Amino acid sequence: MSGRWRPAAASPRPWPRRWPSAGAALALALCAAAALAAGCAAAGAGAGPGLDSVPASAPARARIDPDAGGPDAVAAGRKLFLRHCAECHGDDARGSRRGPAIASERVREASPGALFWFLTNGRLAAGMPGWSRLPAARRWQIIAYLQSGLPAADDEKGARDAGDAGDAGDDREARRSNLYTRR
Amino acid sequence: MFSVASCPAGGRGAWQRLAWALGLLACRALLPAGAAAQERPYLITYDRQLEEPGNLEIAVDPLLARQRGGGDFLAAAVELEYGVKAWWTTELYADGQATSGDGALATGWRWENRVRPLLHEHLVNPVLYVELEDITAADKTLLEVVGHDVEADHAASNRLARRDRQRELETKLILSSSLGDWDLSENLIAEKNLAGAPWEFGYAIGLARPLALAARPDACSFCRENFTAGIEMYGGLGDADGFGLRDTSHYLGPVIAWNLPGGTTLRLSPAFGLNGNSHRFLLRLGISYELPDLANRVRGGLPAGGAR
C-alpha cells in the first residue's frame, strides 16, 4: 500500500506503532526461506560445465538460425555483443575477471541451437544471466557474431595476448579455464 | 496542474532538489559509460529479469497525479538496485512527495528482494518477491495498489498523514512468460501491515514488446530497436476481510521505454483510473542508470576486458 491514511476516529482499532517481534520474525523468515530456496536450486543446477549443461533433449538444439547468412547479422551481433556482453566477457570476447572467454573453438563449432538455448537460459548459478530479455532475432545475431571466426583465446598466442591485457594472474586463469565453454 | 509558487518554502526546496536530480540523470544519459542492459518497460509490474550480478542501477521514478479533494502531487522514489547473484536482486528505495499547497516531505524507505527459484526458462517463470516497508500514510508513490487503496486516501494533509507510520511486509508472486517476442508478466500481491491489519491483496499485469526485433548493424540511439512499448494494468483486490473488487481502485495505461546505449533507460507511462475510486490521471516517469561491476569499482579495479 502507499499513502493510505486511516483517520484515528475511523479506524476499527488502533494499530500499535512499534515493531511487533512476531511480525519482524515472520519477515526475516520469509526472506531467509526465499534465499534458501533459490540457493538450493542454484546448487542443484550448477553442476554442469557450461555448454554441457544444455539438455540433449532440448528442442533448441535442432533450431535453425533464422538469420543464417544474413548480410548484417555479424555486424549487428558485434554491436549487441559490445553493448550487452563485453562488460563481462571483454571487448574481444577473451574474458575478464567477471566472465570467461567465449572466443573459442568450442563456441565456433557448437550447434547454434545449443548456443541459443544457453544464451536464453544463462547459467544463473555461475553468474551468467539469461538473455531472454532480448528478442530471439537479437540472440541469433549475437550467435552469428560469436561463430563468425573470432580469434580464439584458447590458442597459445591468443591466451598470451589476453594475459598481457590483464593485470592479475587469476584473470588469466579464469580465461584459460573457460568456465562456460570448457570441453 | 502544479504550481511551485503555491508550495511553502520547504516544498519549493524539495521541488528544486528533485529537478536537479532529474536534470543530472538526464545529462548522465548523454555519457556512454554505463552498462547497457535491456530494462523492462513497466513502471509497476515486475517481470522475471533481475539485475546483472555486480551491477548497480540507480533510478528515480517520479509520479505526477491529479487529486480530487486535495492538492495535486508529485511523488518520487529513488531506487538503488543491486544484483547480488544472477538469481537474486536486492533494492533499496527512499520515498518522498510534494503536494501542491501542502509542502514536501520524505515518506519512508523500502527494502525489497527478488529471487528466481527456477534457474532455467520455462513457459511460466516465477520470481519470489519480499519487501519490508517503513513508510508513513503520506507516501504517495503508488508503487503498488492493494486492498482498498483509493484516491481519497491521498487527500489527507501531510501534517496529519505523516503521523501514521506503517511498517509492512509485502510479498509478490511474479509470473513472467515469453509469448513469441512479447513479454507477459503478472504480479499477485499480498501485503500485511505488521501492526496487525488484515492481509491486503492486489495485482499488476503487463504486456510489452520491442518495437524492432533485430538490431541494426550501425550504432544508433533514436531507432526502433531501442524502444519497448506495451500496456500495464494494476489495482487492488480487497483484503482478507473483504476480498474482491468492491471499494478498490484500478489503473490502465500504455508504457514505453527507451534503452539508450550508454546504460540509461527512460520510461513513460500515462495511466488512467478505471473507476470512481481511482485517480483520474497518473503520469509516471522513470530514469535509470546502470553502473557495471560495482564491487570491482569500489575496490579500485577494472575488468581487464574493459567495462562498457
Side-chain angles (χ1 to χ4, degrees):
Chain A
M1 105 93 221
S2 52
R4 180 180 55 264
W5 179 61
R6 301 176 195 278
S11 295
R13 49 182 158 150
W15 311 116
R17 291 187 175 184
R18 60 189 172 78
W19 279 97
S21 55
L26 173 65
L28 289 174
L30 281 171
C31 285
L36 185 63
C40 291
L51 282 177
D52 291 342
S53 66
V54 178
S57 59
R61 275 195 186 278
R63 291 177 69 167
I64 304 300
D65 177 355
D67 288 328
D72 293 335
V74 173
R78 173 169 168 74
K79 183 180 84 168
L80 292 169
F81 178 87
L82 291 173
R83 185 169 178 179
H84 299 296
C85 316
E87 173 192 328
C88 293
H89 295 289
D91 287 354
D92 55 3
R94 293 184 177 193
S96 76
R97 79 179 75 210
R98 294 187 74 190
I102 48 177
S104 70
E105 196 179 328
R106 178 86 192 279
V107 170
R108 276 203 302 268
E109 293 176 355
S111 144
L115 287 176
F116 184 85
W117 188 95
F118 190 72
L119 188 57
T120 301
N121 287 272
R123 195 166 176 234
L124 301 190
M128 165 74 177
W131 285 92
S132 59
R133 71 191 75 182
L134 292 178
R138 289 186 218 175
R139 280 174 267 156
W140 284 120
Q141 288 177 322
I142 292 173
I143 291 165
Y145 170 64
L146 291 177
Q147 296 197 303
S148 65
L150 297 175
D154 45 10
D155 75 68
E156 193 60 32
K157 182 176 184 308
R160 192 166 56 247
D161 291 347
D164 291 341
D167 56 1
D170 57 349
D171 290 354
R172 289 188 290 274
E173 199 56 42
R175 289 189 190 96
R176 286 174 182 145
S177 67
N178 247 347
L179 292 176
Y180 300 145
T181 56
R182 70 180 174 226
R183 295 167 199 273
Chain B
M1 179 167 147
F2 291 92
S3 168
V4 174
S6 67
C7 291
R12 183 180 303 191
W15 281 71
Q16 287 173 343
R17 283 193 293 274
L18 180 63
W20 270 106
L22 293 176
L24 286 173
L25 274 172
C27 290
R28 190 65 190 81
L30 303 175
L31 303 177
Q38 193 78 11
E39 297 295 328
R40 66 190 167 99
Y42 314 120
L43 283 143
I44 296 298
T45 311
Y46 285 88
D47 62 16
R48 63 188 177 282
Q49 308 301 345
L50 303 183
E51 191 59 55
E52 290 158 49
N55 286 9
L56 175 73
E57 183 180 288
I58 304 166
V60 180
D61 294 337
L63 162 71
L64 297 159
R66 301 300 306 266
Q67 176 71 50
R68 287 170 289 188
D72 295 339
F73 59 85
L74 165 69
V78 177
E79 306 175 21
L80 298 174
E81 183 179 72
Y82 182 70
V84 184
K85 300 284 183 185
W87 46 268
W88 175 18
T89 291
T90 190
E91 191 164 353
L92 189 65
Y93 293 79
D95 295 357
Q97 55 103 328
T99 301
S100 180
D102 198 16
L105 71 164
T107 53
W109 57 267
R110 303 156 189 264
W111 175 46
E112 80 172 39
N113 288 276
R114 282 174 283 149
V115 295
R116 280 188 67 157
L118 303 178
L119 300 186
H120 289 158
E121 290 285 314
H122 295 80
L123 188 61
V124 178
N125 300 281
V127 176
L128 305 177
Y129 172 111
V130 180
E131 180 181 87
L132 290 173
E133 305 174 357
D134 187 349
I135 57 177
T136 70
D139 193 290
K140 298 178 178 180
T141 51
L142 274 82
L143 289 175
E144 70 280 331
V145 177
V146 294
H148 300 289
D149 291 353
V150 294
E151 180 187 21
D153 296 334
H154 301 132
S157 74
N158 286 342
R159 185 176 57 83
L160 291 175
R162 71 188 303 176
R163 295 178 186 166
D164 184 5
R165 194 103 174 251
Q166 297 170 346
R167 284 153 175 152
E168 297 179 324
L169 170 70
E170 180 187 338
T171 61
K172 289 181 184 173
L173 175 61
I174 299 165
L175 303 172
S176 177
S177 308
S178 291
L179 305 175
D181 288 298
W182 288 84
D183 173 80
L184 174 63
S185 296
E186 311 92 28
N187 300 174
L188 305 171
I189 308 168
E191 186 176 272
K192 171 81 172 167
N193 186 319
L194 296 175
W199 282 92
E200 299 175 296
F201 305 105
Y203 70 91
I205 301 173
L207 179 69
R209 179 186 186 276
L211 294 190
L213 299 179
R216 287 165 34 165
D218 55 319
C220 60
S221 292
F222 200 78
C223 48
R224 287 194 304 147
E225 72 189 60
N226 290 333
F227 288 87
T228 304
I231 192 166
E232 73 178 337
M233 179 176 174
Y234 46 94
L237 293 172
D239 58 31
D241 293 341
F243 187 84
L245 299 178
R246 189 177 172 191
D247 297 330
T248 59
S249 57
H250 304 268
Y251 299 90
L252 175 69
V255 292
I256 187 159
W258 181 18
N259 288 293
L260 286 145
T264 301
T265 300
L266 305 176
R267 290 180 287 185
L268 173 70
S269 175
F272 302 91
L274 296 180
N275 63 13
N277 293 323
S278 314
H279 289 274
R280 284 179 178 170
F281 179 70
L282 305 175
L283 179 63
R284 291 184 184 277
L285 303 166
I287 304 173
S288 62
Y289 176 72
E290 192 160 329
L291 279 169
D293 201 11
L294 178 72
N296 280 324
R297 281 170 182 256
V298 169
R299 285 197 294 261
L302 284 172
R308 297 199 65 75

